[in-house]
Amino acid sequence: MKKKILIGCIADDFTGAGDAASFIASKGLNTILLNGVESDYLTDMEQYPDAVVIALKIRSIPPEEAAAESEKAYRWLVRMGAEHIYYKYCSTFDSTPKGNIGPVADNLMECMDVPFTVLCPALPVNGRTVENGTIYVNGVKLSDSPMKNHPLNPMTKSSIPELMSPQSKYPCVVLRGGDSSDTQRRMIKEASEAYEHFYVVPDYADDEEGKKVAEAFADLKLITGGSGLLEHLAGIYKKDIQERGFSFEEPEAERKTVILSGSCSEATEMQINEYKTEGQEIVELNLKRLIDEPGYLLEQWNKLNGHNKVLIKSSAKSDRIEPEFNGRNIPEVFEKAFSELSIYAKKDGYKGIIVAGGETSGAVIKALGYHSFWIGKSIAPGVPILIPVEEPEMRLVLKSGNFGGSGFFSNAIRMIE
């Protein structure tokens, strides 16, 4: 039987990849997550999984580099037999006026020689919706939500066409939910006659609209968006699945767990406060000591080593308002610290590592050296348990800063244990 992959997904960061993989797997598709395209894990398989999600780290790098990295991933997926390509980005459209959503999507359209694709960042289960081309977060326009204060990519606009205009070469066609199917088809036909390439921006405010969008565009070779649409597309593609003998038997193991939080989002701060009220130990890293004292981090770990369920967090938000401190890049300082902590934890026998923050998660995964992951049960929508193929007794939970409810950390530990 010819090897093929129904969905090849390119995600712009690691937590986004886990998010995407969890929604695909929720529909019964055998799904594997790869950290970059260097992994040769698939080549030795007799039969391929139904879906492959590739985690890149392209959200905040120069646009031309992001386009090149995503193209490399696309070409690798095509060689592996992927039938549909999905470019996954954040449901709050994290992007600067220069990119990287526009440059990556433009380049993929050109590489694949498709006239148009869909821009669909919605994820209603987490309060992200699109209506008349405008992104809303819990009923509030994106530009009025907490994302307007994002430290790296402050979102000051809510309209997808306005967000794309300075970063893309191609126009957007907004399809309103109230438009008839005939009207929408006519709009797409007219755009096809007028433009070499363009984007379609459909409404997606609830699951019913999401299903309609998936049904309308499932045949496209390239689709872009958040993880919400992936769930509905996976449900459609599932009918093409044949029994392939691809499975994973989860081993039982006792697991000591540590939580590493590099996120300063309001949601994560709330989760940390909730965890504290449960009487759990929380340790805050001191930025100045991290920079000035080479032995500080290991000293802190040696005090904590052996403790179960301890949460280690970056210092208060006030430390991270400015990007630099004493000539050092603050996010990089904390990413390096959490990377080293994850290595200490692995070396000292911790089999559960929970990480909060997209950039922090990417840094931790790189440090741990894992490349392939089975997708386990979800702690919250978009946050699955990851099981490294290279070390299947290990359990990783990597969450975007804004994901999960107030009791997320305790729930994650219970499910890991």
Side-chain angles (χ1 to χ4, degrees), residues 81-157:
E83 298 187 342
H84 299 275
I85 301 297
Y86 194 98
Y87 167 38
K88 193 274 177 192
Y89 41 80
C90 185
S91 56
T92 50
F93 217 77
D94 282 14
S95 195
T96 69
K98 293 183 179 180
N100 288 339
I101 293 174
V104 170
D106 283 3
N107 189 57
L108 287 173
M109 270 204 298
E110 293 163 359
C111 288
M112 298 179 70
D113 193 26
V114 294
F116 74 95
T117 188
V118 173
L119 292 172
C120 190
L123 182 57
V125 70
N126 280 347
R128 278 73 161 166
T129 58
V130 175
E131 299 177 56
N132 196 22
T134 297
I135 301 174
Y136 291 86
V137 178
N138 295 319
V140 176
K141 285 185 177 181
L142 177 63
S143 56
D144 296 326
S145 75
M147 285 299 296
K148 66 183 177 182
N149 299 318
H150 192 285
L152 294 177
N153 300 328
M155 304 307 295
T156 59
K157 295 180 180 178

Side-chain angles (χ1 to χ4, degrees), residues 289-309:
R289 294 189 67 186
L290 276 175
I291 293 173
D292 294 341
E293 301 176 28
Y296 166 72
L297 192 66
L298 183 56
E299 175 190 326
Q300 293 300 301
W301 177 255
N302 287 336
K303 291 178 182 177
L304 298 170
N305 187 13
H307 291 241
N308 191 13
K309 306 179 184 178

Side-chain angles (χ1 to χ4, degrees), residues 8-12 54 56 58 63-78 84-89 100-119 164 167-170 196-199 220-225:
C9 178
I10 302 166
D12 63 1
I54 295 178
L56 300 180
I58 60 172
E64 61 276 9
E65 293 181 23
E69 286 296 307
S70 58
E71 181 179 340
K72 180 182 175 183
Y74 150 67
R75 296 195 183 283
W76 186 87
L77 285 166
V78 170
H84 299 275
I85 301 297
Y86 194 98
Y87 167 38
K88 193 274 177 192
Y89 41 80
N100 288 339
I101 293 174
V104 170
D106 283 3
N107 189 57
L108 287 173
M109 270 204 298
E110 293 163 359
C111 288
M112 298 179 70
D113 193 26
V114 294
F116 74 95
T117 188
V118 173
L119 292 172
M164 285 290 283
Q167 60 178 292
S168 169
K169 294 180 284 186
Y170 305 118
E196 181 182 8
H197 298 289
F198 63 96
Y199 293 99
L220 293 183
K221 293 299 182 184
L222 171 67
I223 298 178
T224 86

